[in-house]
Amino acid sequence: MSELIIETKGLTKNFGNLTAVKNLNLEVKKGTLYGFLGPNGAGKSTTIRMLLDLVKPTRGKAYLFNKEIRSHRKEILRKIGAMVESPSYYENLTAYENLEIIRKILELDTKEIDKALEIVNLSKWKNKRVKDFSLGMKQRLGIAQALMGNRELLILDEPTNGLDPLGIREIRNLIVSLPEITGATVLISSHILSEIELMANHIGIIHKGNLLFQGTLEELKEKGN
């Protein structure tokens, strides 16, 4: 049986009378590119926030690397790179300077900056200020930030949101290449089925907080026939 990098058991989050996530049992196997699909407001971002221990579940548990996130937060988060909603950066600093801040916080070798910039294809713009970047370049910088420090799991929340077709294609090609280049397991959320189909090999579909389907892309297509 494949090792599970993410496993949730009965994960539930209520906001007052609203149940944003209901009894969720996710299984993300090591080495997969897992597409977490659902319309806006389906519970994707809330689930991701619970996985990262940014939001406390009402009930249920989230296990990452076979350990419960709430009990082993620091140890687990060291292995995860995440981009939730819009990436944060300092607009007046260059791409390199933004990554230098993260490098210092994580106490990494300087070469990690150039490595991350190379992966996201921003090396030639590393000395350009971020305020002069296109939205697609800013998203790629956000992914570079998530990559810093040899992460074993990358969680990318709607990384193609707001991009034009060219930007979407660039980000898609980058994400597809990440498991092979970095060796990381990747979870990407999106509300666009056609995009997830072009990237993911495993899919979880969430609607109104309920997990409607979980399995391979082939299994999903068979279900649709």
Side-chain angles (χ1 to χ4, degrees):
M1 186 178 153
S2 302
E3 182 190 341
L4 292 179
I5 295 292
I6 298 173
E7 183 180 16
T8 68
K9 295 181 177 178
L11 200 64
T12 300
K13 181 62 185 177
N14 298 328
F15 294 102
N17 294 326
L18 172 72
T19 302
V21 176
K22 187 176 181 182
N23 203 31
L24 195 70
N25 298 310
L26 276 188
E27 292 187 351
V28 178
K29 293 174 183 172
K30 185 175 184 177
T32 55
L33 205 165
Y34 188 103
F36 194 33
L37 179 70
N40 293 328
K44 301 188 301 295
S45 292
T46 302
T47 300
I48 285 170
R49 285 188 168 85
M50 287 191 282
L51 293 177
L52 296 169
D53 199 34
L54 298 170
V55 167
K56 183 181 174 183
T58 304
R59 61 181 174 278
K61 296 198 171 181
Y63 298 87
L64 292 95
F65 305 99
N66 298 309
K67 292 185 177 176
E68 206 263 313
I69 182 68
R70 308 224 76 223
S71 313
H72 299 86
R73 186 177 196 272
K74 199 177 263 189
E75 178 192 344
I76 289 169
L77 291 181
R78 261 194 226 113
K79 299 179 180 183
I80 302 174
M83 187 173 82
V84 182
E85 290 184 346
S86 311
S88 12
Y89 31 69
Y90 295 95
E91 293 248 331
N92 284 319
L93 298 182
T94 65
Y96 191 95
E97 288 166 342
N98 270 279
L99 295 184
E100 172 65 9
I101 292 166
I102 291 168
R103 183 197 74 76
K104 284 181 175 171
I105 292 167
L106 298 175
E107 299 176 344
L108 302 171
D109 196 291
T110 312
K111 66 183 182 193
E112 287 293 322
I113 299 176
D114 286 318
K115 184 174 151 191
L117 287 168
E118 180 72 29
I119 290 170
V120 302
N121 196 24
L122 282 178
S123 298
K124 66 171 99 158
W125 296 286
K126 69 179 184 180
N127 295 317
K128 186 174 179 175
R129 287 199 290 183
V130 175
K131 70 176 184 180
D132 298 322
F133 276 14
S134 68
L135 183 55
M137 290 166 77
K138 287 176 179 175
Q139 290 297 88
R140 280 189 276 147
L141 180 60
I143 293 172
Q145 289 174 328
L147 288 171
M148 292 282 286
N150 294 317
R151 306 305 183 147
E152 293 176 45
L153 171 64
L154 296 170
I155 296 178
L156 307 173
D157 188 14
E158 296 270 8
T160 59
N161 237 5
L163 298 181
D164 61 23
L166 177 62
I168 289 171
R169 193 160 66 244
E170 284 177 349
I171 295 290
R172 182 204 307 144
N173 292 340
L174 169 60
I175 289 167
V176 168
S177 73
L178 288 177
E180 192 176 336
I181 293 172
T182 67
T185 302
V186 179
L187 182 145
I188 169 177
S189 78
S190 179
H191 60 280
I192 305 167
L193 174 60
S194 58
E195 277 306 309
I196 289 293
E197 283 180 328
L198 291 168
M199 287 188 274
N201 45 33
H202 283 70
I203 291 179
I205 299 175
I206 188 171
H207 183 67
K208 293 184 178 175
N210 294 288
L211 193 64
L212 303 183
F213 170 85
Q214 181 167 239
T216 65
L217 193 53
E218 289 72 30
E219 286 167 345
L220 179 62
K221 285 175 177 170
E222 281 168 24
K223 252 180 123 67
N225 291 337

